Amino acid sequence: MTLCFAALIKIMKICSKPKVYNKALCGAVVKTIDEYYGNILEVDDGTVSHLLSCDYNLSPENIVEPAKSISLGKVSKGMMKYVLPLLDIDKLPLGVLALRSMALSCVTEPDAEIGRMIRSTLATATCFDPADFLANIFLYTAVSVENKSGKETIDLVDKSFVDSFEAERESIKLEADTIIEPVELDRTLKGSDFDAVFRKVQSDDDLDLKNRSGLNLYYLDISDSAFDYMALNDYLFDSVGMYVYCRTQMKEFEDKKKVRSMGAKALRLMRNNGKPDEKGTGNELGEMLLFTFLEEGLHAPKLLSKVEISTAASQFSSKSDCVHLLKRKINGEISYQLVFGTSCINGKITNAIDSAFEIIAAIKSGRVRERQMVDSTLFNHTYDAETTERLRQVLVPNKTRQVAPDMAFGVFIGYSLGVVVDDNDAFRAKCMDQMEADIKAVIPYIEKKVVDLKLGMHSYYFYFLPFNDAEADKKQIMDMLLLGGGD
C-alpha cells in the first residue's frame, strides 16, 4: 500500500472522534502548513473528494513547496493544535502502527528520511510523540510521494487494516516529548508574579534544529505608547534574593525568620560586586532576566546565577551567565540537560544575537572548565547533604545512570523595538506586528549561526524581550534597582 496523503487522511478518519468528517481532517492537517488554505479545504467537498480518491495531487503552491522548507516544530505544533483534538485517543495507537507499517514498506533504505525521521530510527522506536509522528508522516506525503500514486491501493486502506494492529497495541507508547519538573530540585521562583509581568506572544514559528529547541517572545505592559517598566522594577526587587543566594542561604534566612531582609542584603552584595550594568558581576539586567525566564519560562531550576558564578566560582573564569537544570522525557526516557546561559541587551536584535553566540562558542570551547565549575561549586558550597547527593546522581555518571547531562544553552535577548506611534491603540497593534516580524526574521539568522559555528549538537532556548530604548533602559532599570534599593 502506498503511503500518500489520501491514505493518511483515511487512517485518521478511522481513528477520529464521532462526527469528524474528511474535509475537517483535510483542513486541519493542511492548516499545519497554511492556515488560510486549510480553511478553504474545510468547506471544499469537491477538492477533498478528489484528494481522497487520489485523483488530485496536493497543491504545489500551498502545500508541497512550503513543506520542503517548513520546520518540523511548526508542523508539530499545528498537529497538536488542529489535528489531535479531532482524534480518538484510544484508537490513535492503531493509527500510528498502521502508518508506521506503511511508511516502512514504502521506504526501504535504512538511512532514508520519512519526513524528518530516519527510517532505521522509526523501525526500532517504541515510544512516539503523536504530534511529531503525524507531522513527519504528513511532510513525507507532501514532499516525497505524489498523492495520485496511491490510486491503486487506496481502497485497501480501511478499518480492517487499521484494526489488524490491535495485537500490537501494547508494543508502543504514545507520549509527548515534555519538560517535567525535576523532583531533585525545586525552582526558586516558583509561585512568583511572572505571568502578571511578562506577556507571552503565541507563535507557531520555531527553530528548525537537529535537537529540540525553543524560541519565545515576551513583552511588558504597554501604557501611553511605550513599554511600562513599573511592574518589572517591582518584580526584580521582589526576586533579587532568589537570584543572588543559593538555596542553603535562603533556607538560613527562613530559619532565622529574616526573609524580609534577604532582598536588601542581596542588593548590598550586588553593589559590593560592582556598578549597575557592569559586565561579569551579575549586575546586568540581561543576567537577571535570563535567570527569570529559565526558571519560570523553561521550568529549569537554577543551579548557579551569575552572582554566584562571579563570587563562589570566580576561580574558574566561567563565561556563563548562569547554569540551570532541565529535566525532559523524550521517547519515554528521562534525560537531563545542563543549560548554560548567556544574555545580551542591544539596540539591534542581530547584534545582540551575534554577541550571545560569541559567548556560546566560548562556553563550548571551555566546556571542561565549565563542568568543573558546576561540579566543584555545587558539591562543595551550595546545597545540604541530601540535595547534593540527589544532584550527584543526576550530574555524575554511575552504575545506574551511564550518561552525563547534555550541554544546552539558554539565551536572553533584549533589543529596541523601534516603534514610534502616538495613538495608543495603533501603538499596541504596531508593536505586535513588529515583534512577530522581528522573530520571523531572526529564525533563519539563528539557524545559520548554529550551522556556521558547528554547534548543531545542542538544544537552544531563546527568550526575547523588546524595550523602548534597550541601551538606555537597561542601565536605568539597574540603577533604580541597585542604587534605589537602599540597605
Side-chain angles (χ1 to χ4, degrees), residues 36-57:
Y36 176 76
Y37 189 63
N39 285 329
I40 293 175
L41 285 184
E42 283 183 333
V43 295
D44 190 343
D45 294 283
T47 298
V48 168
S49 177
H50 283 298
L51 284 169
L52 293 185
S53 60
C54 298
D55 294 327
Y56 287 178
N57 285 325

Side-chain angles (χ1 to χ4, degrees), residues 316-336:
F316 292 98
S317 300
S318 170
K319 299 294 184 182
S320 302
D321 283 348
C322 59
V323 186
H324 289 241
L325 179 67
L326 185 66
K327 186 176 184 178
R328 305 184 65 168
K329 181 175 278 191
I330 300 177
N331 296 326
E333 300 292 331
I334 295 295
S335 67
Y336 295 89

Side-chain angles (χ1 to χ4, degrees), residues 92-113:
L92 187 55
L94 303 183
V96 170
L97 286 164
L99 289 167
R100 180 176 73 166
S101 175
M102 293 181 70
L104 294 175
S105 67
C106 293
V107 179
T108 57
E109 292 296 322
D111 295 333
E113 289 190 342

